Amino acid sequence: MRIGILLSGRGSNFLAIADSIRQGRLAGAEIAVVISNLADAQGITAARERGLNGVVIEGRGRKRAEHDAEILECLRQHGVELVCLAGYMRLLSPGFIHAYPDRILNIHPSLLPAFPGLEAQQQAFDYGVKVAGCTVHFVDEHLDHGVIILQKTVPVLDSDDAHALAKRILEQEHIAYSEAIARVISGRYQISGRHYLLRDEAAEKS
Ligand code: GRF
């Protein structure tokens, strides 16, 4: 499975995925290209340092559809089959989403549907929740909305501030994203409405 990563920033989720592949924990996966919409994204520098294809496709001041078309072209050139958003800070156009049906994943640092959008960890902290976490989901046309593949929870401690909470969530993000990719690559699932359901192969054969 050839993976295309889209990012805009630090790239720690991308690096966690790259580490999983390198350590043989994501059999059958390879990162074909890493694309950033920002030239100074740390993640793109990290990609190039690892010898991966790092491509900057600037989005500033451009129409979304036109920018997305260029990204799609780049993904196709690299034979990408699965797109992973890893801190990609632009909304995707419907044309992009339709080009990769159920083949675009995103990670969000909250237990969706709570706290979509920006600064989810701060939102959760400010709300006073006792349990927080992260969500890996398929991307659809609505913000942080598509079918959920998996979620991981963390406790919110009395001693926390939003920064400490975000750090605890991020540790789980790094585990969750690779797990979700492995599940998608395995193909052993079905989507029924909003439900992502694991298929039990043994049960199917009997
Ligand atoms: C992560 O918290 C992720 O959940 C959100 O954006 C952040 C990206 O962090 N979508 P990084 O660039 O992967 O370190």
Side-chain angles (χ1 to χ4, degrees):
M1 182 74 81
R2 291 176 67 77
I3 295 176
I5 305 267
L6 265 59
L7 53 75
S8 306
R10 149 185 86 171
S12 73
N13 276 287
F14 145 60
L15 288 170
I17 295 166
D19 285 345
S20 293
I21 293 173
R22 200 150 67 174
Q23 292 157 11
R25 284 184 281 119
L26 263 178
E30 64 176 305
I31 295 177
V33 65
V34 180
I35 301 174
S36 172
N37 62 314
L38 297 174
D40 58 358
Q42 277 177 55
I44 208 76
T45 308
R48 288 171 176 160
E49 278 169 7
R50 288 191 171 211
L52 294 166
N53 293 313
V55 178
V56 175
I57 302 180
E58 281 276 4
R60 231 183 309 251
R62 297 179 65 187
K63 289 211 171 97
R64 193 183 312 285
E66 180 197 304
H67 182 235
D68 280 4
E70 193 177 334
I71 295 175
L72 272 180
E73 182 54 32
C74 180
L75 293 171
R76 287 193 181 117
Q77 275 171 9
H78 289 88
V80 167
E81 303 163 273
L82 180 69
V83 179
C84 294
L85 307 185
Y88 184 63
M89 301 305 282
R90 270 172 80 95
L91 288 173
L92 297 180
S93 56
F96 192 122
I97 291 160
H98 292 145
Y100 280 95
D102 295 334
R103 278 288 175 273
I104 308 173
L105 310 186
N106 182 42
I107 186 154
H108 184 74
S110 79
L111 296 173
L112 290 172
F115 314 122
L118 293 174
E119 297 186 5
Q121 308 96 323
Q122 183 79 50
Q123 291 185 56
F125 178 77
D126 291 346
Y127 198 89
V129 297
K130 299 298 184 196
V131 177
C134 62
T135 304
V136 185
H137 63 93
F138 289 107
V139 172
D140 68 10
E141 289 178 27
H142 307 285
L143 179 69
D144 300 328
H145 175 268
V147 167
I148 292 172
I149 300 168
L150 62 82
Q151 297 183 301
K152 300 253 182 223
T153 59
V154 301
V156 183
L157 308 181
D158 288 353
S159 56
D160 274 346
D161 56 17
H163 178 76
L165 178 60
K167 193 163 168 252
R168 193 173 307 116
I169 294 171
L170 191 63
E171 284 169 11
Q172 292 305 309
E173 291 186 45
H174 293 163
I175 299 166
Y177 216 161
S178 291
E179 270 185 42
I181 292 169
R183 288 188 189 184
V184 171
I185 289 176
S186 80
R188 289 197 298 274
Y189 64 93
Q190 63 190 59
I191 298 171
S192 170
R194 279 208 54 88
H195 299 269
Y196 169 94
L197 305 169
L198 287 176
R199 274 201 325 241
D200 181 344
E201 279 208 327
E204 277 176 8
K205 280 182 195 149
S206 63

